[in-house]
Amino acid sequence: MRKQLYNVGAILKGLSITFKFMFAKRPTIEYPSIKKQHAPRFHGLHELRRYADGKERCIGCELCSSACPANAITVIGAENSPENRKSPGERHAARYEIDELRCIFCGMCEEACPTDAIVLTPRFEMSDYRRGALIYSKDRLLVPPEAGVGTAPDERPNGIPADLGRVAEVKSTVDVDEGYNATNRGQVLKVQRKGLAILKRDD
Amino acid sequence: MAAFWILGITLIGSAIWCITNTKPVYSVVALLLNFAALAAMYLTLNAEFLAVIQMIVYSGAILILFLFVIALLSSGVTPFSVGPNKLPRIGIPAVVVLLIALGFLTYAVNRVTANAFANTSPTSPVGPVGTAGVFGSVADFGKALFTTYLLPFEITALVLMVAVIGVILLAGDQAPYVASQKQAEEVRREMREAILRGGE
Amino acid sequence: MPDWIIILIKSAILLLVVVTTFAYSMLAERKVLGWMQLRPGPNRVGPWGLMQPAADAAKLILKEDLTPRTADPLIYRLAPFISLLTAFSVYAIIPFGASSAGTWAIGNVNAGILFLLAITSIGVYGITLGGWASGSKYPLLGSVRATAQMISYELGMSLSFIGVLILAGTTSLDGIVNAQAKWWFVVPQFIGFIVYIITAVAETNRVPFDLVEAETELVAGFHTEYSGLRFGLFFIAEYVNMLTVSCIASLLFLGGWNAPFGLDNLHVPGVIWFIIKVGFFMFFYMWLRATLPRFRYDRLMAFGWKFLLPLATLNLVVTAIIVAYMGH
Ligand code: SF4
Ligand code: SF4
């Protein structure tokens, strides 16, 4: 009998908890009307950057392709000729394709690249109904000449590229920055940033 | 009257469907239809209580148990293979016998009803169920059941009780009855061996 | 106007009301469940998701209507209609207001409560036949469970009714509500009320008694194979049944359209009180669903037969003795 009464009490307690939760603050962020802020250096869609003079950074060395653990990158390099000079070096990438369906967004390509040509931006909304549409080639990866050089991760405020300005104010109960900064990587990043700032001030 | 004929035809039709069907579940559905038609028939006779009880007891409890068993046993099993149709050969004698039986029946019913209703007053007034003194009322039904017919009622209850106890004894979750310790040992050994053989 | 036209019009109105109530109680359920789980619930279609039912209906209608190859075609198609028919036909006798007004029920059957039991006892055929006719194992298990569960809990439910019948001295729903003018039967019949609430949840196969559907074990139980509109029919039947048992709970135990706590002089129409009470029960259903985990099957049976049934019987006997000695 005591046990039965205890069970009834447990049920009532459960009911009271669910009832209370009905009026609790909900942590839902209503994507896509409201977007959450990324962590800085979020790994999203790739971008091929340019130099300030408009030349492509990529020299078609295929280091990214061999570094990629998912075999997502195909690079076919070609010689630069005086009349068709795409990049400052001797070679450029004639074809550069990333299969975003294979990509695991690990960022190895970014780390392997000797010229900082390939970088990962925080853009992540690239779903499509066709598989083919998710193989990104140079026409979509390369920043258009009029858009400047592209953004290196460390230059992005809050990790958000300029053209991703649709990010609305976050109504989340979790402070993304705070949470992220508490991690080790966040600490390191902060130190790095500070260092960069100091370097810049110095020269 | 139209209601009577429609219901009557439904009744007989569903009954025939029920007994001629080779799929047991179809028979259950036919029987359900039959019960429903019968209940509706009671309703046309203003016997609401009877109709409702017919539904609750027969359709709601008994038939659903049939269905329970049939559904479990006949799932995925092809119905009985149909043998050669013997109906034509026995058809003519059957019809003859049936007609004779019907003739006798009509004759008997005619005589009995003629005698029975010769000097009875009209039956009690037809009216809403629930108030005492009308045909098929809950109050009268209950009173009759617990006063005049108390003994048969209790005997029925006893019989049902015996049946229930029997079922519990047969299907209860106690160990099967064994005469002796030695026999029990035997049973256990056989079961072990059967398991070892892979449940052949 | 001849009687039958009035009945036809009433039925049409009632059908409309019940179907709309179904649609929005489904939305309400998803909302309430969402809130209780710290989610906003559906809010994409229309303001606050109010057009969600229409979207759902369109989706269900447009979906392909599949019949598995192993299914029994006739019964497979018939079963959802049995469920739906029984679910709706109960409303023929449920009064939504005092019969002295004369317009609040389609038919005022004198054996109201019994009629109700008769109809609901047929409801299980839809589930059982549907599960059997699907010709696959999960639906069969679901339907077998449904049968056993509904037979077991129907007994407790009927017995919990009888206490009320004894107190009211009538089987007509109208009479029962009128008998509660002073005291709602939830007070003298508190045990009956508890038994009824529990058995009603079990009868409608809702959480925590939704073993018939039990998605963790049986995929979707008896309607695993159903798709499109036929699944929709089962779905409607389930919610309409929920509404039915809520109506009955209000009628039998909470005084139907009687105003609560002596609020008679507010002159609120009785049907408003009735709707509020039914709404409370509907909310209670959703609340339970958000809170309780599912029963284990053997415990469900043991609970029904070894606890609820004796409790209901005890309640019945005590009520009968008290009424016999003290009069109504
Ligand atoms: S992010 Fe990783 S997986 Fe994706 S392309 Fe670069 S190296 Fe390959
Ligand atoms: S993106 Fe970088 S690593 Fe890849 S081919 Fe171009 S220069 Fe080499």
Side-chain angles (χ1 to χ4, degrees), chain C residues 145-174:
Chain C
R145 280 183 177 186
T147 322
Q149 177 177 333
M150 289 179 104
I151 295 175
S152 313
Y153 278 76
E154 198 161 283
L155 283 175
M157 189 159 149
S158 324
L159 284 181
S160 72
F161 282 174
I162 295 178
V164 170
L165 292 191
I166 291 177
L167 284 186
T170 168
T171 50
S172 106
L173 288 168
D174 199 59

Side-chain angles (χ1 to χ4, degrees), chain B residues 21-26 70-82, chain C residues 69-72 132 135:
Chain B
N21 221 305
T22 46
K23 281 190 185 166
V25 174
Y26 277 54
I70 289 173
L72 258 187
L73 294 186
S74 72
S75 66
V77 181
T78 41
F80 329 102
S81 55
V82 184
Chain C
R69 201 162 0 108
T70 47
D72 185 301
W132 176 83

Side-chain angles (χ1 to χ4, degrees), chain C residues 24-41:
Chain C
Y24 281 95
S25 58
M26 191 181 71
L27 179 66
E29 164 147 52
R30 288 166 68 182
K31 279 273 184 199
V32 167
L33 274 186
W35 294 337
M36 288 182 171
Q37 295 163 357
L38 295 178
R39 295 182 285 115

Side-chain angles (χ1 to χ4, degrees), chain B residues 4-181:
Chain B
F4 173 79
W5 282 111
I6 294 171
L7 288 173
I9 289 168
T10 318
L11 259 173
I12 295 173
S14 58
I16 291 174
W17 191 32
C18 174
I19 52 177
T20 52
N21 221 305
T22 46
K23 281 190 185 166
V25 174
Y26 277 54
S27 294
V28 169
V29 174
L31 202 56
L32 181 62
L33 187 64
N34 189 300
F35 286 161
L38 195 59
M41 194 86 112
Y42 286 144
L43 278 183
T44 60
L45 296 174
N46 272 339
E48 281 182 11
F49 186 64
L50 208 55
V52 163
I53 290 300
Q54 160 86 13
M55 265 344 238
I56 295 180
V57 174
Y58 282 97
S59 326
I62 296 179
L63 193 58
I64 195 75
L65 283 177
F66 286 1
L67 183 60
F68 183 79
V69 175
I70 289 173
L72 258 187
L73 294 186
S74 72
S75 66
V77 181
T78 41
F80 329 102
S81 55
V82 184
N85 194 350
K86 294 208 188 93
L87 203 58
R89 234 187 318 145
I90 60 167
I92 296 160
V95 167
V96 171
V97 169
L98 210 69
L99 280 180
I100 294 171
L102 262 180
F104 270 116
L105 207 66
T106 353
Y107 177 70
V109 167
N110 257 340
R111 282 204 42 186
V112 169
T113 44
N115 287 342
F117 289 108
N119 51 4
T120 45
S121 55
T123 43
S124 44
V126 169
V129 186
T131 40
V134 291
F135 173 70
S137 88
V138 182
D140 283 356
F141 188 86
K143 244 185 216 130
L145 198 61
F146 287 106
T147 53
T148 326
Y149 298 104
L150 185 62
L151 191 62
F153 176 71
E154 289 296 341
I155 290 173
T156 318
L158 193 71
V159 171
L160 286 177
M161 179 74 103
V162 169
V164 168
I165 292 172
V167 166
I168 291 175
L169 270 186
L170 286 176
D173 56 0
Q174 279 149 9
Y177 171 78
V178 275
S180 68
Q181 197 61 34

